[in-house]
């Protein structure tokens, strides 16, 4: 039952991307506004997401069976690039601006890229949905993803930060409970699975409201997770990073 719920939840992202790519191509073909060359890139992206769907089934199946994560070396910037392809359409649909910030000399990490990318996708999509559900004006909806060395020894922190209305106390208490969801059609498996994935990597996932300088008013919410750094593996300073913005204020 846990595996079935997890697979159904995690497959939503690549299947949604495939649907959008295919609908976009069909629309342009019907209008006669596309050449064969124009179809190459979206077809390649469609095939890539189909492969990803198969990988998700394999990884979630192995994870639920309590197998060790299928680890390899990956740079956080590459994880974010891959995840962005899955949540970009969702952000545009919900009129949410997305910003990134990478601290200098962020190291490579030894992890399961597919599983960690799914955590990033889930957290960003949840933040975007929360902004829309809370009725935040479209012109100011914003989600930021910052990656930096953690205050804790030898770890990297990923933080997904929104400018919404924060978490209600009754929601915060049950946030990571299995099958608890604030969404009408939610299965309540997403955050529970995310926490299990992060803990299997030796890290931790936490959620907290953000306040203004006087701590009188909630100005958003932050979901952050830390992953341990393996010794003596640091990124090249020339490593390509996504376009960045200044880090969000506390």
């Amino acid at each position: 039952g846990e595996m079935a719920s997890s697979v159904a939840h995690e497959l939503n992202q690549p299947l949604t991307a495939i649907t959008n790519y295919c609908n976009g191509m069909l629309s342009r073909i019907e209008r006669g506004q596309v050449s064969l060359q124009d179809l190459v890139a979206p077809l390649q992206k469609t095939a890539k997401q189909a492969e990803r769907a198969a990988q998700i089934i394999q990884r979630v199946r192995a994870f639920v069976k309590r197998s060790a994560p299928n680890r390899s070396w990956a740079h956080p910037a590459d994880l974010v690039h891959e995840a962005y392809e899955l949540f970009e359409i969702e952000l545009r649909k919900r009129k949410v601006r997305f910003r990134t910030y990478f601290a200098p000399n962020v190291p490579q990490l030894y992890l399961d890229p597919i599983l960690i990318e799914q955590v990033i996708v889930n957290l960003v999509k949840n933040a975007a949905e929360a902004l829309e559900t809370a009725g935040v004006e479209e012109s100011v909806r914003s989600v930021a993803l910052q990656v930096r060395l953690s205050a804790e020894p030898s770890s990297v922190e990923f933080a997904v930060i929104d400018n919404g209305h924060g978490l209600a106390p009754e929601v915060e208490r049950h946030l990571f409970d299995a099958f608890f969801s604030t969404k009408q059609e939610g299965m309540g498996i997403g955050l529970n699975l995310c926490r299990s994935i992060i803990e299997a990597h030796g890290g931790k996932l936490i959620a907290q409201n953000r306040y203004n300088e006087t701590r009188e008013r909630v100005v958003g919410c932050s979901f952050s997770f830390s992953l341990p750094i393996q010794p003596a593996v640091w990124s090249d300073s020339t490593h390509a990073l996504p376009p960045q913005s200044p880090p969000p204020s506390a």
Side-chain angles (χ1 to χ4, degrees):
E2 181 182 355
M3 186 180 77
S5 298
S6 301
V7 169
H9 183 275
E10 299 306 310
L11 285 181
N12 278 337
Q13 287 93 19
L15 293 181
T16 298
I18 289 170
T19 300
N20 282 304
Y21 289 138
C22 290
N23 286 340
M25 286 186 287
L26 285 172
S27 178
R28 295 182 66 184
I29 290 171
E30 289 170 353
R31 295 197 304 267
Q33 297 177 346
V34 65
S35 66
L36 291 178
Q37 187 60 35
D38 292 333
L39 295 176
V40 173
L43 283 171
Q44 289 174 333
K45 291 181 178 180
T46 301
K48 182 178 180 180
Q49 294 307 323
E51 292 172 3
R52 184 185 185 88
Q55 290 176 326
I56 288 173
I57 292 174
Q58 294 171 359
R59 297 292 175 85
V60 172
R61 178 177 181 272
F63 183 73
V64 172
K65 289 176 65 178
R66 300 296 183 262
S67 301
N70 187 3
R71 298 176 185 248
S72 60
W73 292 107
H75 191 279
D78 296 327
L79 301 176
V80 175
H81 275 303
E82 291 295 320
Y84 183 75
E85 291 188 7
L86 291 170
F87 60 68
E88 184 224 356
I89 294 173
E90 190 80 13
L91 294 177
R92 283 196 282 111
K93 182 176 72 174
R94 300 183 188 277
K95 306 293 191 299
V96 175
R97 186 171 58 126
F98 180 68
R99 297 178 295 145
T100 59
Y101 170 75
F102 286 81
N105 297 322
V106 172
Q108 292 191 60
L109 299 171
Y110 192 56
L111 44 71
D112 188 317
I114 294 295
L115 291 180
I116 298 301
E117 286 163 18
Q118 288 304 117
V119 171
I120 294 172
V121 169
N122 278 324
L123 296 183
V124 172
K125 288 187 66 176
N126 283 349
E129 290 173 7
L131 291 174
E132 183 180 56
T133 302
V136 176
E137 293 184 15
E138 293 181 0
S139 60
V140 297
R141 292 176 188 172
S142 175
V143 173
L145 172 58
Q146 64 179 27
V147 183
R148 60 186 179 185
L149 298 178
S150 174
E152 298 181 2
S154 302
S155 63
V156 171
E157 180 187 77
F158 295 69
V160 175
I161 302 168
D162 67 53
N163 64 339
H165 298 163
L167 299 167
E170 61 273 16
V171 172
E172 194 169 4
R173 284 194 295 270
H174 300 285
L175 201 57
F176 296 104
D177 292 354
F179 308 114
F180 172 80
S181 178
T182 59
K183 305 172 189 176
Q184 186 173 1
E185 298 178 357
M187 291 184 292
I189 196 69
L191 286 176
N192 180 266
L193 180 62
C194 285
R195 186 175 65 174
S196 296
I197 289 171
I198 296 304
E199 290 177 350
H201 282 78
K204 62 180 181 179
L205 172 63
I206 60 174
Q208 56 188 357
N209 286 332
R210 300 171 63 243
Y211 295 85
N212 61 0
E213 293 181 358
T214 60
R215 298 193 64 80
E216 296 175 347
R217 181 170 58 89
V218 175
V219 294
C221 182
S222 169
F223 281 80
S224 61
F225 62 89
S226 59
L227 295 174
I229 299 171
Q230 300 295 322
V233 182
W234 291 84
S235 63
D236 190 324
S237 59
T238 62
H239 197 289
L241 296 176
Q244 299 187 60
S245 303
S249 58

